[in-house]
């Protein structure tokens, strides 16, 4: 991936841009506020200077014409103001009577003859000027005008220097921030880089390793790493199961094929009579049907995994099905003299189910119960109605199982007795098929068993909306 398009490379630039915008906004705000504040203060001082002078004029003017008393004391009066403004005293007609400094400050008095105080900023030769025109009212009309002017060029320079200083500081802060971010980004992304490397290796490694989460990792990295670890554990389990499955399938198919081959070769090598050849053919047929069943079961499971077996869901009277299965189980159990009991309530239970598949579930369980129960034992088939579901229980007084087998019993090819007699027909797929069908009906199947005492399989199936009462 191009470095420039990587999110980790683009994010810091956005951060920097955001910080630059915030800093520029801050400087602009400060500059505007400060300028307004200073101008207000200058205006206030210009006004108080004018008021001050007028106040003294009142005191001094006794016996003198007003302008004489004012002009005579103007330098002293001007020196009292902290701003040291330049002052011009004008007559009402606009004639300059006296002023401070060497030259009178240029002003716009000529255009002004109002009775109100006027204040404005004008452009001077050196820079901007702030001028206050203060009319001295006598008998209701302005007799004199005090023009108090402050040169703002020094203030402007100071403001410019301060703003420049702030901008330089901003640039230093931005540079510092960029360096810091680059440094810390490297530290923060180290864990992600490590994780990426590990994920890349996962493609090639058969046994993937999990990611060690450091104490210093950020919560995002911890979350990502633990999701990765969980995924890896699931993947490892699936891989293990798939390998086991392939090994089991190979084994299950190889055994009957070896027998077929051996017997056929033997029959061909030693010239046998007709009866011996017939026996070989019968035995071969048995192996072939065993393989066919196995392949059928495998096909059913793999199609089921792929969702390629559509269930034909219909309303199904469970009582009728159970009674029919009980009858079949009795026939199967006759050879071992096993008693098959039935506990079925009179209430008619209706289910939404695929009747063929459901039959397969209970036949598998009943066949197992009979298969793993010694002669003269007993098997019980019972139906219990609950509020939301029905429970079909198949219990036997057979060989039972240790509790450590119960968790794996529904896995494909799992058999408690791995060396069991091949002639019992078991391939370890029966219960896997049971589980798949029950799951597809939104039900569940559980097992409880005690070694040497017997087992009990319970299938829970959701009830259809209406249940017809007998
Ligand atoms: P199998 O075709 O070998 O019976 P299943 O998937 O039906 O395959 O059963 C898996 C294993 O579970 C069996 O090999 C057997 O060891 C054990 N099992 C199943 N049902 C019973 C039972 N009723 N009593 C004791 N063991 C059982």
């Amino acid at each position: 991936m191009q470095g420039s398009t990587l999110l980790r490379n683009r994010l810091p630039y956005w951060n920097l841009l955001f910080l630059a915008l915030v800093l520029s906004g801050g400087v602009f705000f400060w500059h505007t506020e400060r300028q307004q504040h200073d101008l207000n203060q200058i205006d206030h001082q210009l006004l108080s200077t004018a008021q001050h002078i007028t106040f003294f004029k009142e005191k001094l003017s006794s016996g003198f014409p007003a302008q004489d008393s004012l002009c005579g004391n103007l330098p002293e009066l001007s020196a009292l103001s902290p701003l040291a403004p330049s002052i011009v005293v004008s007559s009402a007609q606009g004639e300059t009577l006296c002023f401070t400094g060497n030259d009178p400050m240029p002003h716009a008095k000529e255009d002004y003859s109002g009775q109100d105080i006027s204040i404005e900023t004008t452009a001077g030769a050196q820079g901007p000027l702030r001028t206050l025109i203060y009319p001295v009212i006598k008998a209701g009309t302005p007799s004199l005008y005090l023009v108090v002017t402050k040169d703002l060029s020094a203030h402007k320079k100071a403001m410019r220097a301060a703003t420049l200083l702030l901008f330089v500081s901003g640039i230093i802060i931005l540079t510092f921030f960029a360096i810091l971010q680059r440094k810390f980004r490297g530290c923060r992304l180290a864990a992600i880089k490590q994780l990426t490397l590990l994920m890349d290796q996962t493609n090639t490694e058969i046994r993937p390793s999990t990611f060690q989460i450091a104490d210093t990792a950020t919560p995002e990295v911890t979350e990502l790493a633990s999701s990765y670890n969980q995924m890896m554990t699931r993947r490892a389990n699936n891989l293990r199961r798939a390998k086991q499955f392939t090994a089991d399938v190979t084994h299950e198919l190889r055994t009957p094929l070896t027998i077929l081959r051996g017997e056929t070769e033997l029959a061909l090598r030693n010239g046998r009579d007709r009866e011996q050849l017939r026996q070989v053919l019968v035995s071969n047929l048995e192996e072939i049907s065993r393989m066919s069943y196995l392949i059928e079961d495998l096909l059913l499971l793999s199609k089921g995994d792929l969702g390629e077996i559509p269930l034909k869901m219909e309303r199904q009277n469970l009582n009728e099905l159970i009674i029919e299965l009980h009858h079949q189980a009795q026939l199967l159990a006759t050879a071992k003299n096993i008693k098959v009991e039935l506990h079925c309530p009179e209430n008619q239970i209706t289910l939404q189910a695929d009747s063929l598949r459901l039959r397969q579930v209970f036949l598998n369980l009943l066949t197992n119960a009979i298969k793993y129960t010694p002669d003269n034992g007993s098997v019980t088939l019972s139906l219990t109605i609950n509020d939301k579901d029905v429970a079909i229980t198949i219990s036997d007084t057979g060989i039972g199982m240790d509790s450590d087998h119960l968790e794996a019993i529904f896995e494909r090819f799992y058999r408690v007795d791995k060396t069991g007699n091949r002639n019992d027909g078991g391939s370890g797929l029966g219960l896997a098929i049971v589980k798949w069908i029950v799951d597809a009906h939104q039900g569940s199947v559980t097992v409880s068993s005690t070694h040497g005492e017997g087992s009990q399989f319970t299938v829970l199936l959701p009830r259809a909306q209406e249940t017809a009462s007998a």
Side-chain angles (χ1 to χ4, degrees):
M1 201 189 295
Q2 281 293 309
S4 57
T5 56
L6 283 175
L7 185 64
R8 63 167 182 254
N9 287 343
R10 270 184 286 144
L11 265 182
Y13 293 127
W14 284 109
N15 285 350
L16 277 182
L17 188 70
F18 179 71
L19 187 64
L21 280 175
V22 169
L23 286 176
S24 317
V27 171
F28 178 76
F29 180 74
W30 174 86
H31 184 270
T32 320
E33 278 294 301
R34 181 78 212 191
Q35 204 164 21
Q36 194 55 48
H37 172 263
D38 288 356
L39 211 59
N40 286 346
Q41 234 176 11
I42 290 168
D43 289 352
H44 177 73
Q45 284 182 3
L46 290 177
L47 184 66
S48 51
T49 306
Q51 283 170 342
H52 207 70
I53 293 170
T54 325
F55 174 73
F56 273 98
K57 177 204 80 98
E58 297 298 332
K59 282 181 123 187
L60 294 166
S61 61
S62 46
F64 296 96
Q67 68 266 33
D68 288 356
S69 63
L70 198 57
C71 286
N73 294 285
L74 199 57
E76 292 84 10
L77 291 173
S78 159
L80 289 174
S81 168
L83 277 184
S86 78
I87 303 164
V88 176
V89 180
S90 283
S91 70
Q93 291 73 36
E95 184 193 346
T96 300
L97 301 174
C98 56
F99 53 84
T100 57
N102 298 330
D103 298 306
M105 265 289 185
H107 58 82
K109 164 66 200 82
E110 291 83 358
D111 307 335
Y112 191 76
S113 58
Q115 296 200 4
D116 296 326
I117 298 166
S118 145
I119 191 149
E120 61 179 354
T121 304
T122 51
Q126 308 290 322
L129 302 171
R130 190 75 175 160
T131 308
L132 176 108
I133 304 175
Y134 189 89
V136 180
I137 310 288
K138 195 172 177 190
T141 49
S143 62
L144 291 172
Y145 283 98
L146 285 179
V147 184
V148 191
T149 306
K150 172 70 186 162
D151 184 356
L152 294 182
S153 52
H155 172 259
K156 200 175 170 187
K157 258 188 213 156
M159 280 297 288
R160 207 178 285 158
T163 312
L164 192 70
L165 190 73
L166 280 177
F167 265 115
V168 172
S169 314
I171 288 168
I172 292 173
I173 290 174
L174 277 178
T175 317
F176 187 63
F177 181 77
I179 294 169
L180 268 188
Q181 209 182 28
R182 209 180 164 76
K183 202 169 159 61
F184 281 115
R185 192 187 63 189
C187 300
R188 267 186 289 137
L189 293 180
I192 293 184
K193 270 188 190 163
Q194 213 180 327
L195 198 58
T196 314
L197 204 71
L198 211 63
M199 284 177 180
D200 286 347
Q201 285 168 358
T202 305
N203 294 333
T204 50
E205 269 184 31
I206 294 164
R207 193 184 290 265
S209 47
T210 50
F211 186 75
Q212 296 300 319
I213 307 168
D215 295 342
T216 49
T218 59
E220 292 88 348
V221 171
T222 312
E223 213 173 302
L224 180 67
S226 63
S227 293
Y228 169 80
N229 287 348
Q230 280 170 18
M231 186 188 79
M232 280 297 105
T233 317
R234 276 200 304 272
R235 183 179 177 273
N237 285 340
N238 288 344
L239 267 179
R240 185 186 51 76
R241 262 196 227 123
K243 282 169 113 190
Q244 183 63 47
F245 183 71
T246 317
D248 288 340
V249 171
T250 317
H251 175 77
E252 292 298 326
L253 289 176
R254 201 178 48 194
T255 315
L257 275 176
T258 315
I259 295 170
L260 269 177
R261 192 178 167 163
E263 288 198 343
T264 314
E265 278 175 359
L266 210 67
L268 285 174
R269 218 179 301 138
N270 318 327
R272 295 195 174 188
D273 62 28
R274 201 180 157 81
E275 179 51 29
Q276 280 172 330
L277 280 175
R278 201 187 72 83
Q279 276 174 11
V280 170
L281 284 177
V282 168
S283 160
N284 283 0
L285 194 64
E286 264 175 30
E287 292 303 333
I288 290 169
S289 13
R290 209 192 304 277
M291 276 200 295
S292 302
Y293 286 133
L294 179 72
I295 288 167
E296 256 173 48
D297 283 354
L298 280 174
L299 206 64
L300 178 77
L301 280 171
S302 56
K303 275 190 171 180
D305 285 347
L306 295 170
E308 285 177 5
I309 301 180
L311 291 180
K312 212 169 146 211
M313 302 297 264
E314 294 165 333
R315 289 183 82 77
Q316 166 78 42
N317 185 309
L318 192 62
N319 304 57
E320 282 173 12
L321 178 72
I322 294 290
I323 291 167
E324 200 187 314
L325 286 165
H326 173 240
H327 186 63
Q328 285 187 18
Q330 274 180 320
L331 291 177
L332 287 173
T334 327
K336 292 174 85 176
N337 195 28
I338 291 172
K339 200 169 138 202
V340 184
E341 284 183 37
L342 172 70
H343 297 295
C344 185
E346 286 190 358
N347 280 359
Q348 298 299 298
I349 295 297
T350 319
L351 284 184
Q352 201 66 25
D354 183 324
S355 62
L356 266 180
R357 299 283 168 219
L358 216 53
R359 193 183 296 270
Q360 194 175 1
V361 166
F362 299 124
L363 262 182
N364 274 1
L365 293 175
L366 283 166
T367 318
N368 276 352
I370 295 166
K371 188 160 69 179
Y372 298 108
T373 299
D375 292 0
N376 307 319
S378 75
V379 171
T380 311
L381 170 64
S382 53
L383 173 65
T384 319
I385 307 169
N386 303 320
D387 277 351
K388 292 189 176 159
D389 52 29
V390 281
I392 303 100
T393 312
I394 290 142
S395 45
D396 61 62
T397 56
I399 55 172
M401 290 167 271
D402 278 335
S403 55
D404 33 324
H405 292 293
L406 299 184
E407 216 171 287
I409 202 85
F410 295 100
E411 279 180 19
R412 291 166 196 193
F413 291 113
Y414 190 89
R415 275 180 297 196
V416 174
D417 183 5
K418 307 271 186 298
T419 59
N421 180 6
R422 291 189 67 254
N423 293 329
D424 66 9
S427 62
L429 287 178
L431 287 181
I433 292 173
V434 165
K435 182 160 168 41
W436 172 75
I437 296 174
V438 173
D439 285 348
H441 280 79
Q442 266 79 50
S444 63
V445 53
T446 49
V447 57
S448 64
S449 185
T450 311
H451 185 69
E453 287 183 18
S455 312
Q456 177 170 313
F457 287 82
T458 305
V459 175
L460 282 178
L461 291 170
R463 282 172 66 175
Q465 290 296 326
E466 329 131 30
T467 304
S469 276

